[in-house]
Amino acid sequence: MRLLLVEDDPALGEGIRAALKPEGYTVDWLLDGLSAVHAIEQESFDLVILDLGLPRLDGLQVLKRVRSGKHQLPVLVLTARDATGDRIAGLDAGADDYLVKPFDVAELKARLRALLRRSFNRSEPLLEYRGIVLDPSSQLVTWQGQSLSLPRKEFLLLHELLVQPGRVLTRDRLQQVLYGWDEEVESNALEVHVHHLRKKFFPELIRTVRGVGYMAEKA
Amino acid sequence: MRLLLVEDDPALGEGIRAALKPEGYTVDWLLDGLSAVHAIEQESFDLVILDLGLPRLDGLQVLKRVRSGKHQLPVLVLTARDATGDRIAGLDAGADDYLVKPFDVAELKARLRALLRRSFNRSEPLLEYRGIVLDPSSQLVTWQGQSLSLPRKEFLLLHELLVQPGRVLTRDRLQQVLYGWDEEVESNALEVHVHHLRKKFFPELIRTVRGVGYMAEKA
DNA sequence: CGGCAGTCTTAACCGACCCTTAAGCACGAA
DNA sequence: TTCGTGCTTAAGGGTCGGTTAAGACTGCCG
């Protein structure tokens, strides 16, 4: 589960991040609104935690930009206690939930779970590719009449590849999907996952683009 | 189908109303508890959607008044997430179902349908799955010609799983079914219940989806 | 009041699975 | 052939869920 945290207070940001990592979230953290917009447009997140008071581009503007896109990306907004107007404005701009600072970490976690659950129940479409059907909400795959559950990373990887067949995904891109930005893996873990997927399904499922990355052939 | 909506937040009230109208419901909307009591006594509704935090007369009081009457009017209660006591109190006062804000509209619709179906049939339909028959009204289960009574939590759990086989229920979802939204259980109680069910029936009854939750295989 | 039965949570332990790592092999390009 | 890149395989550490038993709590009955 990959989250984008947009928060300019270093202490708070670090705190949130530290709290969420053990829960199994991959947390990417940006400190200003402009970078956030770019990241959201180019990467793929499951949820955004957005502070409203941000340098370079205000949180509300970020929210509006996100909503103008097609993504139904859930956004949890953090507001200062006394910023009454923010709340209203945020509602209008389409935030999915709020938290007023200072807040309890347990509360944050609970709201995240609720939001993610909602967004996944929101019938995320099944993904089909050559007889393989992915169900993002349950992390389950149907293949040759059997339903099997893939390990989390394998599912993430496969999902990323099949979202848009024919597109070549660089090694870096894939590693970001699996690990986020910082925690780099300096081994061939990615290749091992690919190997497992090829074995579970069929070898031609994932084509190697030597020196670049991997792709699923356009059907 | 005529519903009474009692909700003092104008935005939320309008939202719910707008969502339900296209479904063919007639929605009357009141903003305080006192008017609600009067309306319920004098008019005839098929169901009430009741917020607990209300001006003039608290939602709980409304609920008690309704229940003291002879009407078996189904009541769906809306509660704020952090209102810890509300849930328990609401249960005691006889609400038929709950929804915690913020909620998904699809969820609301689904619960309404379920409630209305229940109230019209009076007898909730038996649930059958691979030779196991659940009777929600008596909390009894028939299995291999024997009728046995399950402990409450086990029954709830099993019922939730069998309502829609093939659907994966997250741990969170199941814990909410068993415990509600506030009281967190920081142990493996859920797994223990699952274990008991598997032992009483057969192990394949409940399939583990690692990292996600549990499911009953589609028959 | 005391004991019993049923329910549920807690905690410790264990096995299975997930993921990374690393070493050796295969294969394509120069 | 040689080098570089990716593939294959297996081992280990960590995490998750399963299993079991003990104890708290409740309601019931003597």
Side-chain angles (χ1 to χ4, degrees):
Chain A
M1 200 62 55
R2 191 172 178 213
L3 313 185
L4 176 63
L5 169 63
V6 195
E7 168 62 63
D8 62 318
D9 178 343
L12 184 54
E14 191 44 60
I16 293 177
R17 183 174 201 160
L20 297 184
K21 263 198 176 164
E23 303 285 312
Y25 296 110
T26 304
V27 182
D28 291 331
W29 175 21
L30 293 175
L31 292 101
D32 70 286
L34 211 48
S35 331
V37 169
H38 290 149
I40 289 167
E41 275 164 4
Q42 304 201 349
E43 311 282 332
S44 117
F45 297 97
D46 297 299
L47 185 145
V48 179
I49 303 174
L50 181 66
D51 189 12
L52 285 194
L54 288 174
R56 296 230 286 163
L57 187 64
D58 181 70
L60 269 184
Q61 298 306 317
V62 176
L63 187 49
K64 279 179 187 156
R65 296 252 198 126
V66 172
R67 281 294 173 258
S68 69
K70 324 162 184 62
H71 301 292
Q72 293 202 348
L73 189 58
V75 177
L76 172 70
V77 160
L78 306 178
T79 75
R81 170 175 291 285
D82 45 3
T84 329
D86 281 4
R87 224 181 137 80
I88 316 296
L91 256 175
D92 290 343
D96 297 281
D97 201 356
Y98 289 88
L99 220 43
V100 175
K101 296 195 239 181
F103 51 83
D104 190 27
V105 177
E107 177 82 9
L108 175 62
K109 289 181 191 168
R111 301 223 177 195
L112 286 183
R113 281 198 299 274
L115 268 184
L116 288 170
R117 181 171 356 102
R118 255 205 281 163
S119 90
F120 276 94
N121 286 355
R122 196 172 291 162
S123 65
E124 204 166 340
L126 299 183
L127 194 56
E128 196 279 339
Y129 179 83
R130 303 200 190 183
I132 304 173
V133 182
L134 300 197
D135 180 352
S137 70
S138 64
Q139 217 177 98
L140 243 41
V141 177
T142 308
W143 165 242
Q144 296 180 336
Q146 297 266 324
S147 135
L148 61 133
S149 78
L150 287 184
R152 207 174 98 264
K153 303 238 157 167
E154 285 179 26
F155 190 92
L156 283 173
L157 184 51
L158 185 57
H159 186 267
E160 194 64 21
L161 285 163
L162 299 193
V163 159
Q164 194 184 323
R167 176 186 51 157
V168 178
L169 296 169
T170 64
R171 234 161 234 301
D172 271 1
R173 177 85 163 79
L174 290 173
Q175 300 211 349
Q176 277 178 25
V177 170
L178 295 189
Y179 308 104
W181 277 317
D182 356 81
E183 33 177 322
E184 293 279 314
V185 176
E186 75 280 352
S187 85
N188 61 347
L190 179 59
E191 280 139 15
V192 175
H193 289 310
V194 168
H195 175 61
H196 287 149
L197 285 171
R198 284 177 173 151
K199 203 154 77 175
K200 278 180 188 166
F201 301 96
F202 49 94
E204 308 75 34
L205 171 61
I206 300 171
R207 174 173 153 194
T208 305
V209 183
R210 215 180 158 75
V212 184
Y214 295 95
M215 71 180 288
E217 211 81 48
K218 185 134 62 179
Chain B
M1 199 64 53
R2 190 173 179 210
L3 312 186
L4 175 63
L5 169 63
V6 194
E7 168 61 63
D8 62 316
D9 178 345
L12 183 55
E14 189 45 60
I16 293 176
R17 184 175 200 161
L20 296 185
K21 267 197 172 163
E23 302 285 312
Y25 297 110
T26 305
V27 182
D28 291 332
W29 175 20
L30 294 175
L31 292 101
D32 72 286
L34 211 48
S35 330
V37 170
H38 291 149
I40 290 167
E41 277 165 2
Q42 304 201 348
E43 313 280 331
S44 121
F45 297 96
D46 296 300
L47 186 146
V48 178
I49 303 173
L50 180 66
D51 189 11
L52 285 194
L54 288 174
R56 296 231 284 164
L57 186 64
D58 182 72
L60 269 185
Q61 298 307 317
V62 176
L63 187 50
K64 279 180 188 156
R65 298 254 197 125
V66 171
R67 281 291 174 257
S68 70
K70 312 165 187 63
H71 301 292
Q72 295 205 344
L73 188 56
V75 176
L76 173 70
V77 159
L78 306 179
T79 77
R81 169 173 290 280
D82 44 3
T84 324
D86 281 5
R87 216 186 86 81
I88 316 295
L91 257 174
D92 291 341
D96 296 281
D97 202 355
Y98 289 88
L99 220 43
V100 172
K101 300 192 237 181
F103 51 82
D104 193 24
V105 176
E107 178 85 9
L108 175 62
K109 289 180 190 167
R111 302 224 174 197
L112 286 182
R113 279 196 299 273
L115 269 184
L116 288 169
R117 180 169 1 101
R118 249 203 284 166
S119 91
F120 276 91
N121 291 356
R122 261 307 122 203
S123 64
E124 213 168 339
L126 297 183
L127 195 56
E128 196 281 337
Y129 180 82
R130 304 200 188 183
I132 303 173
V133 182
L134 298 197
D135 181 350
S137 62
S138 67
Q139 203 173 295
L140 282 178
V141 177
T142 309
W143 164 241
Q144 295 181 335
Q146 303 260 331
S147 154
L148 62 137
S149 83
L150 286 183
R152 204 178 104 265
K153 301 235 161 173
E154 286 179 26
F155 190 92
L156 281 173
L157 185 51
L158 186 57
H159 185 265
E160 193 66 19
L161 284 164
L162 298 193
V163 159
Q164 194 184 323
R167 176 187 51 157
V168 176
L169 297 168
T170 63
R171 264 181 156 45
D172 267 5
R173 177 86 162 79
L174 291 172
Q175 298 208 346
Q176 281 178 20
V177 170
L178 295 188
Y179 306 104
W181 286 266
D182 343 273
E183 35 175 322
E184 302 259 325
V185 176
E186 74 280 354
S187 84
N188 60 348
L190 178 59
E191 279 132 349
V192 176
H193 289 310
V194 168
H195 175 61
H196 288 149
L197 284 171
R198 283 177 174 151
K199 205 154 77 173
K200 280 181 188 164
F201 301 95
F202 49 95
E204 308 76 34
L205 171 61
I206 301 172
R207 170 172 161 192
T208 304
V209 182
R210 194 168 232 265
V212 184
Y214 295 95
M215 72 183 288
E217 211 81 47
K218 188 138 48 180

